[in-house]
Amino acid sequence: MIDWDDVRYFLAVARAGSVRAAAGRLEVNHSTVLRRVAQLEETLGARMFERLPSGYRLTPAGEEVLDLAGVMEASSHQLETRVFGRDQTVRGLLRVTLAPTLATRLLMPDFAAFAQRHPEIELDVASSGDLANLTNRDADVAIRVVYDRKTLPVHLHGRKGPEVFGGVYLSRERLAALRAGAADPLRWIVISMHGVPDWAHAGEVRAAEIPFRVSDGEAQIAAVLQGLGMTTLPCFIGDADPRLARVPGTGLHMYGTLWLLTQGETRKTKRVRLFTEFMSASLAGHAPLLRGLLPEAG
C-alpha cells in the first residue's frame, strides 16, 4: 500500500527541485524527506529522481507518478473540505490570512472582539503578503484587496466589502518644515518591489530623484515618520495616524475592493460563517476610513 505521506514528500521535492527546499516548505529536517522519498521508491520499485549537482530531476517513472500524485492530492483536499464543511460545531481552529498592514493597522481590534465573543474558536491569524491557497486549505478565510474580481479563481466564494483608497503622505513635522522654507530634499520612500505609481506624482511637492527603498509596509511607515520623505499609503493608515498628513495638491487613488474569500465546502462550517458575518459588518463600519472620506487624524 502506498503511504499518502510518502507521496506528499515526493510532491514537495518534485516541485521545489531539491530536498533542502522541500524540507523547508514542509518544516521538517532533510533526513525525513530523504527517508520518505526512499520509502516511496521502495514501494513502487522504481527511482523517482536523478540526483544531479544542480538538484533533483524526475526520472521517466517519476514523471508518471507526478501526474497521478497530483490527482491524489486534489482528491485528498476535496475530501478534507467536504468533511470540514459538515462541521457545524463552534469549537475548533479557524485560520485567517491577510496583508500585514491590514492586520496591524486596521483589523486587529475586530479580531480581538471576535475572539472575546467566541472564546471556543482558536483564531490563527497569518499576516502575510503571500496569497494563501484556499483550495489546498492553507487558510479557511482570506481577506484581500482585489482590483478586479474577474482575476480571482471562479471556485472561490466571496463577500464584497468596501473599496480601498490610498494617497500620498509625509510626516506633519516635515510638512511644517517645508512650509517654513526648509530646503532639505525629500525622497520617495518605496517598497522595493513596487516603486512609485504614476498617479502619485501630481502633487505640489517635488522629491529628489534618488528614492529610499524598504522591504515592507511597517518599515515604509517608519521611514516616513522619520522625515525622510513621502510615500503612498492606504487612507486607513495615513488618515488615521495624527503624525502623518496628505501631501498638498495630491488626490486619492483606488487600490481595489476588500473581499472576504472562502472556498467550497469550507464556507459552510459554522466557525467560518460566524467569522465572515462578523467581519463583513466590521468592514462596513470601516468603509469611510477605507475610502478616505474621514478627516485626517489630528
Side-chain angles (χ1 to χ4, degrees):
M1 293 289 292
I2 296 175
D3 188 326
W4 164 238
D5 277 340
D6 293 345
V7 177
R8 284 199 309 113
Y9 283 80
F10 161 78
L11 281 170
V13 176
R15 289 165 177 168
S18 75
V19 170
R20 188 172 302 279
R25 292 183 184 182
L26 294 169
E27 298 182 348
V28 298
N29 59 46
H30 185 271
S31 60
T32 299
V33 177
L34 286 173
R35 178 169 53 82
R36 288 290 192 170
V37 172
Q39 286 177 184
L40 181 63
E41 290 180 330
E42 183 178 353
T43 300
L44 296 176
R47 288 180 59 195
M48 298 294 101
F49 297 101
E50 293 181 58
R51 281 72 167 175
L52 304 174
S54 58
Y56 275 49
R57 186 172 67 186
L58 288 165
T59 63
E63 292 281 3
E64 290 185 30
V65 171
L66 180 63
D67 292 337
L68 296 173
V71 175
M72 289 178 66
E73 181 183 49
S75 297
S76 174
H77 291 319
Q78 187 177 29
L79 175 62
E80 287 182 11
T81 55
R82 285 191 177 181
V83 172
F84 185 72
R86 296 182 184 277
D87 181 3
Q88 296 306 308
T89 61
V90 175
R91 179 182 298 275
L93 177 65
L94 178 66
R95 295 167 301 173
V96 181
T97 178
L98 73 167
T101 50
L102 272 174
T104 59
R105 298 279 172 164
L106 184 68
L107 297 181
M108 196 55 71
D110 299 300
F111 295 156
F114 179 81
Q116 289 169 354
R117 182 178 296 186
H118 300 285
E120 66 277 32
I121 294 178
E122 180 185 348
L123 195 59
D124 181 346
V125 177
S127 52
S128 169
D130 297 333
L131 292 176
N133 191 326
L134 297 182
T135 304
N136 289 350
R137 295 287 312 285
D138 292 344
D140 303 314
V141 181
I143 303 174
R144 293 294 180 196
V145 178
V146 179
Y147 185 73
D148 184 355
R149 177 67 174 90
K150 295 178 182 178
T151 62
L152 290 172
V154 294
H155 63 273
L156 293 184
H157 300 269
R159 281 177 175 258
K160 186 178 181 181
E163 294 172 332
V164 180
F165 281 75
V168 186
Y169 295 87
L170 77 173
S171 72
R172 287 190 181 275
E173 288 185 1
R174 193 65 195 273
L175 179 58
L178 283 174
R179 287 172 171 166
D184 294 342
L186 278 172
R187 292 192 183 196
W188 276 110
I189 299 167
V190 299
I191 296 179
S192 297
M193 69 183 79
H194 296 155
V196 183
D198 292 339
W199 61 266
H201 291 283
E204 299 171 7
V205 179
R206 291 291 173 261
E209 292 184 4
I210 298 175
F212 184 86
R213 298 188 181 277
V214 295
S215 62
D216 60 83
E218 289 301 323
Q220 177 191 21
I221 297 164
V224 176
L225 292 173
Q226 286 297 317
L228 281 168
M230 56 188 178
T231 195
T232 57
L233 291 171
C235 295
F236 72 81
I237 296 175
D239 290 350
D241 194 322
R243 300 167 295 177
L244 297 173
R246 293 185 191 175
V247 172
T250 58
L252 300 182
H253 180 80
M254 193 177 88
Y255 288 153
T257 303
L258 266 178
W259 284 82
L260 286 162
L261 300 169
T262 57
Q263 189 274 142
E265 299 294 322
T266 301
R267 76 187 193 281
K268 300 177 183 179
T269 68
K270 191 168 185 178
R271 294 191 295 279
V272 171
R273 286 192 290 107
L274 286 171
F275 180 78
T276 54
E277 288 168 5
F278 180 91
M279 289 307 302
S280 183
S282 296
L283 290 176
H286 293 308
L289 179 60
L290 288 162
R291 289 180 57 83
L293 300 178
L294 292 182
E296 296 175 69

